[in-house]
């Protein structure tokens, strides 16, 4: 079996370069190390943190990002995700009145103060969940969507697995302390990313300063709520002097998520999240490299018919790169080893690695533009002859 010949369409993107007339060759200059990006912020007194760019999907800064922690109130991000999903599927309606059980009525911790016999809609519960941090709202949503809290928790863990949140396990929809409930800063950032990308309307609710239900006005626990561009997402108290915060913010069409876990106070969590966002806005920028379906590689194998197949991007490729003068991004296609025909159109061929000064920034899947099938003996003979030309 012949090994496929891989022709990677390697692109180098440069800004600020100028073409000059030819000059006599000069001795080669010594290789200099790449200029450092804007220094990453130093956070103290926290358990873990992550800064993620939602548009590129890249982690721009991480500290103990896979350390298991109690997610506390940030559990409500998954509760909101499943609530929006149920609305999309038509299982519940935003304006329908919801039955309030005694369990929801007597929920501990933060509440929006629902009670049996008092009308409340799914839209009102959504606001009570995301602005007030209402544990009673979380239980009412769970019972309405799944019929029981236990059934809803099963859905939470099912969707967490589907999202690839491998270090996350839920035991309730409200985030109150319970054995076995765990997550990481990276998983919570990815959960936030999924929530924003799938149901962007969450940002129209979670960033509001306050909410009034039944003549009771409560203010958003997010210490950054109301600041320019901040539009979410959630707050949790994991224990005495241990605050969790997930903040989303949008500027010039670009959305960042900062997750800070285990801060000594709510204000400290807000200060650290603000520092992360500042680093993301001022230290990084986004570059659109490819549209969906762009050809980025070509593979050749004499045992295939046709002998060549083009590799294309599945979706638009946006890359976050450090802000530098005369930056360069390099791309390199890495094929899946020992690929054999038949290959259907859309089959995975490998990955495109995107680097900045030798530092891997992002890996993008590459799929076959068209189908290939095993070549017959006569076709293989022709391909063998062509290889000698």
């Amino acid at each position: 079996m012949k090994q496929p010949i891989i022709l990677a369409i390697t692109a180098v993107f440069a800004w600020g370069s100028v073409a000059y007339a030819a000059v006599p060759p000069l001795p080669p200059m010594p290789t200099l190390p790449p200029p450092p990006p804007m220094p990453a912020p130093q956070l103290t007194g926290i358990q873990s943190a992550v800064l993620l760019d939602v548009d590129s999907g890249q982690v721009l800064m991480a500290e103990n990002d896979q350390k298991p922690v109690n997610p506390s109130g940030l559990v409500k991000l998954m509760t909101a995700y499943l609530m929006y999903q149920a609305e999309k599927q038509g299982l519940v309606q935003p304006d329908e009145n919801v039955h309030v059980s005694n369990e929801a009525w007597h929920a501990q911790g933060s509440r929006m103060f629902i009670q049996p016999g008092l009308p409340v809609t799914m839209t009102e519960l959504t606001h009570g969940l995301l602005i007030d941090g209402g544990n009673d709202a979380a239980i009412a949503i769970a019972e309405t969507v799944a019929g029981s809290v236990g059934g809803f928790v099963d859905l939470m863990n099912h969707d967490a697995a589907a999202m690839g949140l491998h270090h996350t396990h839920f035991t309730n929809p409200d985030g109150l302390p319970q054995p076995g409930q765990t997550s990481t800063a990276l998983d919570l950032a990815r959960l936030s990313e999924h929530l924003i990308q799938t149901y962007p309307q969450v940002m129209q609710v979670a960033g509001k300063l306050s909410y009034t239900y039944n003549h009771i006005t409560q203010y958003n626990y997010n210490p950054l709520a109301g600041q320019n561009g901040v539009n979410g997402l959630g707050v949790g108290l994991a224990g005495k002097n241990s605050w969790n915060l997930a903040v989303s913010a949008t500027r010039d069409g670009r959305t960042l998520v900062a997750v800070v876990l285990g801060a000594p106070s709510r204000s400290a969590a807000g200060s650290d999240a603000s520092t992360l966002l500042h680093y993301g806005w001022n230290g990084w920028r986004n570059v659109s490299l490819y549209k969906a379906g762009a050809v980025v590689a070509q593979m050749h194998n004499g045992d295939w018919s046709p002998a060549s197949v083009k590799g294309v991007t599945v979706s638009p490729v946006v890359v976050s790169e450090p802000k530098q003068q005369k930056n360069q991004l390099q791309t390199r296609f890495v094929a899946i080893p020992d690929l054999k025909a038949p290959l259907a159109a859309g089959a995975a061929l490998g990955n495109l690695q995107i680097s900045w000064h030798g530092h891997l920034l992002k890996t993008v899947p590459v799929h076959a533009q068209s189908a290939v099938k095993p070549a017959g003996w006569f076709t293989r003979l022709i391909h063998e002859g062509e290889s000698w030309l």
Side-chain angles (χ1 to χ4, degrees):
M1 179 71 68
K2 296 182 177 64
Q3 294 298 317
I5 300 172
I6 303 169
L7 302 177
I9 300 176
T10 304
V12 177
F13 300 85
W15 289 266
S17 59
V18 180
Y20 294 93
V23 295
L26 298 173
M29 293 291 292
T31 301
L32 300 177
M38 177 180 174
Q42 300 298 310
L43 307 179
T44 59
I46 64 167
Q47 293 188 45
S48 54
V50 162
L51 176 66
L52 181 144
D53 188 298
V54 173
D55 301 286
S56 68
Q58 289 172 236
V59 173
L60 308 184
M61 183 272 183
E63 183 174 323
N64 298 326
D65 59 320
Q66 298 198 49
K67 178 182 179 180
V69 297
N70 171 13
S72 63
L74 299 187
V75 162
K76 295 184 178 77
L77 298 179
M78 180 60 84
T79 303
Y81 181 90
L82 290 175
M83 186 276 304
Y84 283 122
Q85 180 175 265
E87 287 186 353
K88 181 179 180 180
Q89 295 171 347
L91 300 177
V92 297
Q93 301 299 322
D95 57 353
E96 74 175 74
N97 282 319
V98 171
H99 170 74
V100 177
S101 68
N102 284 329
E103 183 180 0
W105 180 27
H106 295 297
Q108 300 298 306
S110 57
R111 294 180 292 164
M112 67 175 291
F113 300 106
I114 57 176
Q115 55 185 284
L118 187 66
V120 63
T121 65
M122 287 298 294
T123 295
E124 290 172 326
L125 288 175
T126 303
H127 285 70
L129 178 80
L130 295 170
I131 300 172
D132 301 345
N135 296 330
D136 50 356
I139 293 173
I141 289 171
E143 293 176 334
T144 303
V145 170
S148 68
V149 170
F152 190 82
V153 170
D154 289 341
L155 293 177
M156 295 173 73
N157 287 314
H158 174 273
D159 279 36
M163 293 178 189
L165 311 182
H166 302 302
H167 303 288
T168 295
H169 182 75
F170 297 111
T171 59
N172 62 46
D174 49 41
L176 287 175
Q178 203 166 39
Q181 187 144 266
T182 186
S183 190
T184 66
L186 180 59
D187 277 6
L188 291 168
R190 291 297 183 195
L191 171 57
S192 302
E193 176 189 20
H194 278 281
L195 177 59
I196 290 169
Q197 289 183 329
T198 311
Y199 306 110
Q201 62 266 38
V202 68
M203 295 185 290
Q204 299 174 8
V205 178
K208 290 184 176 180
L209 270 175
S210 64
Y211 179 63
T212 301
Y213 170 75
N214 192 29
H215 309 294
I216 301 173
T217 299
Q218 297 190 74
Y219 292 89
N220 201 321
Y221 279 94
N222 183 346
L224 301 186
Q227 294 191 17
N228 185 32
V230 173
N231 44 32
L233 279 167
V235 183
L237 180 60
K240 186 179 181 181
N241 301 326
S242 183
W243 286 85
N244 297 335
L245 177 63
V247 175
S248 62
T250 302
R251 179 184 294 181
D252 298 327
R254 179 182 172 211
T255 299
L256 302 179
V257 167
V259 175
V260 176
L261 304 181
S265 67
R266 189 163 63 96
S267 61
S271 177
D272 285 341
S274 181
T275 298
L276 289 174
L277 292 173
H278 176 80
Y279 171 67
W281 299 134
N282 296 283
W284 296 76
R285 66 182 175 189
N286 282 359
V287 180
S288 295
L289 292 189
Y290 300 109
K291 296 180 180 180
V295 177
V296 294
Q298 182 166 309
M299 297 182 67
H300 182 91
N301 191 318
D303 292 334
W304 297 349
S305 179
S308 295
V309 62
K310 293 178 179 179
V312 298
T313 57
V314 180
S315 57
V317 178
V318 176
V319 178
S320 300
E321 66 166 7
K323 284 185 176 180
Q324 297 290 331
Q325 296 297 321
K326 300 180 181 179
N327 286 328
Q328 287 190 331
L329 294 176
Q330 296 85 30
T331 64
R332 174 174 175 261
F333 173 66
V334 179
I336 297 174
D338 301 323
L339 276 175
K340 295 179 175 61
L343 294 172
L349 296 181
N351 292 299
L352 188 71
Q353 296 180 347
I354 304 172
S355 302
W356 178 84
H357 286 291
H359 300 280
L360 182 64
L361 296 180
K362 186 173 183 176
T363 299
V364 177
V366 176
H367 288 195
Q369 186 183 58
S370 56
V372 295
K373 59 184 179 180
W377 70 268
F378 186 69
T379 302
R380 291 199 304 271
L381 184 63
I382 293 175
H383 292 165
E384 183 70 23
E386 289 174 344
S387 68
W388 291 94
L389 296 179

Coordinates of all heavy atoms in Angstrom, one line a residue, residues 20-78:
Y20 N 10.4 45.2 -1.6 CA 11.5 46.0 -2.0 C 12.1 45.4 -3.3 O 12.0 44.2 -3.6 CB 12.6 46.0 -0.9 CG 12.1 46.7 0.4 CD1 11.6 46.0 1.4 CD2 12.2 48.1 0.5 CE1 11.2 46.6 2.6 CE2 11.8 48.7 1.7 CZ 11.3 48.0 2.7 OH 10.9 48.6 3.8
A21 N 12.9 46.3 -3.9 CA 13.6 45.8 -5.1 C 14.7 44.9 -4.7 O 15.2 44.9 -3.5 CB 14.2 47.0 -5.9
A22 N 15.2 44.0 -5.6 CA 16.2 43.1 -5.3 C 17.5 43.7 -4.9 O 17.9 44.8 -5.5 CB 16.5 42.2 -6.5
V23 N 18.2 43.2 -3.9 CA 19.5 43.7 -3.5 C 20.5 42.6 -3.4 O 20.1 41.4 -3.3 CB 19.4 44.4 -2.1 CG1 18.5 45.6 -2.2 CG2 18.8 43.4 -1.1
P24 N 21.8 42.8 -3.4 CA 22.7 41.8 -3.3 C 22.5 41.0 -2.0 O 22.1 41.5 -1.0 CB 24.1 42.5 -3.3 CG 23.8 43.8 -3.9 CD 22.4 44.2 -3.5
P25 N 22.8 39.6 -2.1 CA 22.5 38.8 -0.9 C 23.4 39.2 0.3 O 24.6 39.6 0.1 CB 22.9 37.4 -1.4 CG 23.8 37.6 -2.6 CD 23.3 38.9 -3.2
L26 N 22.9 39.2 1.4 CA 23.6 39.5 2.7 C 23.8 38.3 3.5 O 23.0 37.3 3.4 CB 22.9 40.6 3.4 CG 22.7 42.0 2.7 CD1 21.8 42.9 3.5 CD2 24.0 42.6 2.5
P27 N 24.7 38.3 4.4 CA 24.9 37.2 5.3 C 23.6 37.0 6.1 O 22.9 37.9 6.4 CB 26.0 37.6 6.3 CG 26.8 38.6 5.5 CD 25.8 39.3 4.7
P28 N 23.2 35.7 6.4 CA 22.0 35.5 7.1 C 22.0 36.1 8.5 O 23.0 36.1 9.2 CB 21.9 34.0 7.2 CG 23.3 33.5 7.1 CD 23.9 34.5 6.2
M29 N 20.9 36.7 8.9 CA 20.8 37.3 10.3 C 20.5 36.2 11.3 O 19.9 35.1 11.0 CB 19.6 38.2 10.3 CG 19.8 39.5 9.4 SD 21.1 40.6 10.1 CE 20.3 41.2 11.6
P30 N 21.0 36.4 12.5 CA 20.8 35.3 13.5 C 19.3 35.3 13.8 O 18.6 36.3 13.7 CB 21.6 35.9 14.7 CG 21.7 37.3 14.5 CD 21.8 37.5 13.0
T31 N 18.8 34.1 14.2 CA 17.4 33.9 14.5 C 17.1 34.5 15.9 O 17.8 34.2 16.8 CB 17.1 32.4 14.5 OG1 17.3 31.8 13.2 CG2 15.6 32.2 14.8
L32 N 16.1 35.3 15.9 CA 15.8 36.0 17.2 C 14.5 35.3 17.7 O 13.7 34.8 17.0 CB 15.5 37.5 17.0 CG 16.7 38.3 16.4 CD1 16.3 39.7 16.2 CD2 17.9 38.2 17.4
P33 N 14.4 35.3 19.0 CA 13.2 34.7 19.6 C 12.0 35.6 19.3 O 12.1 36.8 19.1 CB 13.5 34.7 21.1 CG 14.5 35.7 21.3 CD 15.3 35.7 20.1
P34 N 10.8 35.0 19.3 CA 9.6 35.8 19.0 C 9.3 36.8 20.1 O 9.7 36.6 21.2 CB 8.5 34.8 18.9 CG 8.9 33.6 19.7 CD 10.4 33.6 19.5
P35 N 8.8 38.0 19.7 CA 8.5 38.9 20.8 C 7.4 38.4 21.7 O 6.5 37.7 21.2 CB 7.9 40.2 20.0 CG 7.5 39.6 18.7 CD 8.4 38.4 18.4
P36 N 7.5 38.6 23.0 CA 6.5 38.1 23.9 C 5.2 38.8 23.7 O 5.1 40.0 23.4 CB 7.1 38.3 25.3 CG 8.0 39.5 25.1 CD 8.5 39.4 23.7
P37 N 4.1 38.1 23.9 CA 2.8 38.8 23.9 C 2.6 39.6 25.2 O 3.5 39.6 26.0 CB 1.8 37.6 23.9 CG 2.5 36.5 24.6 CD 4.0 36.6 24.1
M38 N 1.6 40.4 25.2 CA 1.3 41.2 26.4 C 1.3 40.2 27.6 O 0.7 39.2 27.6 CB -0.1 41.8 26.3 CG -0.5 42.6 27.5 SD -2.2 43.3 27.2 CE -2.5 44.0 28.8
P39 N 2.1 40.6 28.7 CA 2.2 39.7 29.8 C 0.8 39.3 30.4 O -0.1 40.1 30.6 CB 3.0 40.5 30.8 CG 3.7 41.5 30.0 CD 2.8 41.8 28.9
A40 N 0.7 38.0 30.6 CA -0.6 37.5 31.2 C -0.7 38.0 32.6 O 0.2 38.1 33.4 CB -0.6 36.0 31.2
P41 N -2.0 38.3 33.0 CA -2.2 38.8 34.4 C -1.8 37.8 35.4 O -2.0 36.6 35.2 CB -3.7 39.1 34.4 CG -4.3 38.3 33.4 CD -3.2 38.2 32.3
Q42 N -1.3 38.2 36.6 CA -1.0 37.4 37.7 C -2.1 37.5 38.7 O -2.3 38.5 39.3 CB 0.3 37.8 38.3 CG 1.5 37.7 37.4 CD 1.8 36.3 36.9 OE1 1.8 35.3 37.6 NE2 1.9 36.1 35.6
L43 N -2.9 36.4 38.9 CA -4.0 36.4 39.8 C -3.6 35.7 41.1 O -2.9 34.7 41.1 CB -5.2 35.7 39.2 CG -5.6 36.2 37.8 CD1 -6.8 35.4 37.3 CD2 -6.0 37.7 37.9
T44 N -3.9 36.2 42.2 CA -3.5 35.7 43.5 C -4.8 35.4 44.4 O -5.8 36.1 44.2 CB -2.6 36.6 44.3 OG1 -3.3 37.8 44.5 CG2 -1.3 36.8 43.5
G45 N -4.7 34.4 45.2 CA -5.8 34.1 46.2 C -7.0 33.4 45.5 O -8.0 33.4 46.1
I46 N -6.8 32.8 44.4 CA -7.9 32.1 43.7 C -7.5 30.6 43.5 O -6.3 30.2 43.7 CB -8.3 32.7 42.3 CG1 -7.1 32.5 41.4 CG2 -8.7 34.1 42.5 CD1 -7.4 32.8 39.9
Q47 N -8.5 29.8 43.2 CA -8.2 28.4 43.0 C -7.9 28.1 41.5 O -7.0 27.4 41.2 CB -9.4 27.5 43.4 CG -9.7 27.5 44.9 CD -10.8 26.4 45.2 OE1 -10.8 25.3 44.7 NE2 -11.7 26.8 46.1
S48 N -8.6 28.8 40.6 CA -8.4 28.6 39.2 C -9.0 29.7 38.4 O -9.9 30.4 38.9 CB -8.9 27.2 38.7 OG -10.2 27.0 39.1
A49 N -8.7 29.8 37.1 CA -9.2 30.8 36.2 C -9.0 30.4 34.8 O -8.0 29.7 34.4 CB -8.6 32.2 36.5
V50 N -9.9 30.9 33.9 CA -9.8 30.7 32.4 C -10.3 31.9 31.7 O -11.3 32.5 32.2 CB -10.5 29.5 32.0 CG1 -10.8 29.5 30.5 CG2 -9.8 28.2 32.3
L51 N -9.6 32.4 30.7 CA -10.1 33.4 29.8 C -10.3 32.7 28.4 O -9.3 32.2 27.9 CB -9.2 34.6 29.7 CG -9.6 35.7 28.7 CD1 -10.9 36.3 29.1 CD2 -8.5 36.7 28.5
L52 N -11.5 32.8 27.9 CA -11.8 32.1 26.6 C -12.4 33.1 25.6 O -13.3 33.9 26.0 CB -12.7 30.9 26.9 CG -13.2 30.1 25.7 CD1 -13.3 28.6 26.1 CD2 -14.5 30.5 25.1
D53 N -12.0 33.0 24.4 CA -12.6 33.8 23.3 C -13.7 32.9 22.6 O -13.4 31.9 22.1 CB -11.5 34.2 22.3 CG -12.1 35.2 21.2 OD1 -13.0 34.8 20.5 OD2 -11.6 36.3 21.2
V54 N -14.9 33.4 22.7 CA -16.1 32.6 22.2 C -16.0 32.5 20.7 O -16.4 31.4 20.1 CB -17.4 33.2 22.7 CG1 -18.6 32.5 22.0 CG2 -17.5 33.2 24.2
D55 N -15.5 33.5 20.0 CA -15.6 33.5 18.6 C -14.5 32.6 18.0 O -14.8 31.9 16.9 CB -15.3 34.9 18.0 CG -16.4 35.9 18.5 OD1 -17.6 35.8 18.1 OD2 -16.1 36.7 19.5
S56 N -13.4 32.5 18.6 CA -12.3 31.5 18.1 C -12.3 30.2 18.8 O -11.8 29.2 18.3 CB -10.9 32.2 18.2 OG -10.6 32.3 19.6
G57 N -12.9 30.2 20.0 CA -12.9 29.0 20.8 C -11.6 28.7 21.5 O -11.4 27.7 22.2
Q58 N -10.7 29.7 21.5 CA -9.4 29.5 22.1 C -9.3 30.0 23.5 O -10.0 30.9 23.9 CB -8.3 30.3 21.3 CG -8.0 29.8 19.9 CD -7.1 30.7 19.1 OE1 -7.4 31.1 18.0 NE2 -6.0 31.1 19.7
V59 N -8.6 29.2 24.3 CA -8.3 29.7 25.7 C -7.1 30.6 25.6 O -6.0 30.2 25.2 CB -8.0 28.4 26.6 CG1 -7.5 28.9 27.9 CG2 -9.2 27.5 26.7
L60 N -7.3 31.8 26.1 CA -6.2 32.8 26.0 C -5.4 32.9 27.3 O -4.2 33.4 27.2 CB -6.8 34.2 25.8 CG -7.8 34.3 24.6 CD1 -8.3 35.8 24.4 CD2 -7.2 33.8 23.3
M61 N -5.9 32.4 28.4 CA -5.2 32.4 29.6 C -5.8 31.3 30.5 O -7.0 31.1 30.5 CB -5.2 33.7 30.3 CG -4.4 33.8 31.6 SD -5.4 33.3 33.1 CE -4.2 33.6 34.4
A62 N -5.0 30.5 31.2 CA -5.5 29.5 32.1 C -4.6 29.3 33.3 O -3.4 29.4 33.2 CB -5.6 28.2 31.3
E63 N -5.2 29.1 34.4 CA -4.5 28.9 35.7 C -5.2 27.8 36.4 O -6.4 28.0 36.8 CB -4.4 30.2 36.5 CG -3.6 30.0 37.8 CD -3.4 31.3 38.6 OE1 -3.3 32.4 37.9 OE2 -3.5 31.3 39.8
N64 N -4.6 26.7 36.6 CA -5.2 25.5 37.3 C -6.5 25.2 36.7 O -7.5 24.9 37.4 CB -5.3 25.7 38.8 CG -4.0 25.9 39.5 OD1 -3.0 25.3 39.1 ND2 -4.0 26.8 40.5
D65 N -6.6 25.2 35.3 CA -7.9 25.2 34.6 C -8.6 23.8 34.7 O -9.8 23.7 34.4 CB -7.7 25.6 33.2 CG -6.8 24.7 32.4 OD1 -5.7 24.3 33.0 OD2 -7.1 24.3 31.3
Q66 N -7.9 22.8 35.1 CA -8.5 21.5 35.2 C -8.5 21.0 36.7 O -8.7 19.8 36.9 CB -7.8 20.5 34.3 CG -7.9 20.9 32.8 CD -7.6 19.7 31.9 OE1 -8.2 18.6 32.0 NE2 -6.8 19.9 30.9
K67 N -8.4 21.9 37.6 CA -8.5 21.5 39.0 C -9.9 21.3 39.4 O -10.8 22.2 39.2 CB -7.9 22.6 39.9 CG -7.9 22.4 41.4 CD -7.3 23.5 42.2 CE -7.4 23.3 43.7 NZ -6.9 24.4 44.4
P68 N -10.3 20.2 40.0 CA -11.7 19.9 40.4 C -12.1 20.9 41.5 O -11.4 21.1 42.5 CB -11.7 18.5 40.9 CG -10.5 17.9 40.3 CD -9.5 19.0 40.2
V69 N -13.3 21.5 41.3 CA -13.8 22.5 42.3 C -15.3 22.3 42.5 O -15.9 21.7 41.6 CB -13.5 23.9 42.0 CG1 -12.0 24.2 41.9 CG2 -14.1 24.3 40.6
N70 N -15.8 22.9 43.5 CA -17.3 23.0 43.7 C -17.8 24.1 42.8 O -17.5 25.3 43.1 CB -17.6 23.2 45.2 CG -19.1 23.5 45.4 OD1 -19.9 23.3 44.5 ND2 -19.4 24.0 46.6
P71 N -18.6 23.8 41.8 CA -19.0 24.9 40.9 C -20.1 25.8 41.5 O -20.3 26.9 41.0 CB -19.6 24.1 39.7 CG -20.1 22.8 40.3 CD -19.1 22.5 41.4
S72 N -20.7 25.5 42.6 CA -21.7 26.2 43.3 C -22.7 26.8 42.3 O -23.2 26.1 41.5 CB -21.1 27.4 44.1 OG -20.4 28.3 43.3
G73 N -23.0 28.1 42.4 CA -24.1 28.7 41.6 C -23.9 28.6 40.1 O -24.9 28.8 39.3
L74 N -22.7 28.4 39.6 CA -22.4 28.3 38.2 C -23.1 27.1 37.6 O -23.2 27.0 36.3 CB -20.9 28.3 37.9 CG -20.2 29.6 38.4 CD1 -18.8 29.6 37.9 CD2 -20.9 30.9 37.9
V75 N -23.6 26.1 38.4 CA -24.4 25.0 38.0 C -25.6 25.6 37.2 O -26.1 24.9 36.2 CB -24.8 24.2 39.2 CG1 -26.0 23.3 38.8 CG2 -23.6 23.3 39.7
K76 N -26.1 26.7 37.6 CA -27.3 27.3 36.9 C -27.1 27.6 35.5 O -28.1 27.8 34.7 CB -27.7 28.5 37.7 CG -28.2 28.3 39.1 CD -28.7 29.6 39.8 CE -29.2 29.3 41.2 NZ -28.1 29.2 42.2
L77 N -25.8 27.6 35.0 CA -25.6 27.8 33.6 C -26.1 26.6 32.8 O -26.7 26.8 31.7 CB -24.1 28.1 33.3 CG -23.5 29.3 34.0 CD1 -22.0 29.4 33.6 CD2 -24.2 30.6 33.5
M78 N -25.9 25.4 33.3 CA -26.5 24.2 32.6 C -28.0 24.2 32.8 O -28.7 23.8 31.9 CB -25.8 23.0 33.2 CG -26.4 21.7 32.5 SD -26.1 21.6 30.7 CE -24.4 21.0 30.7

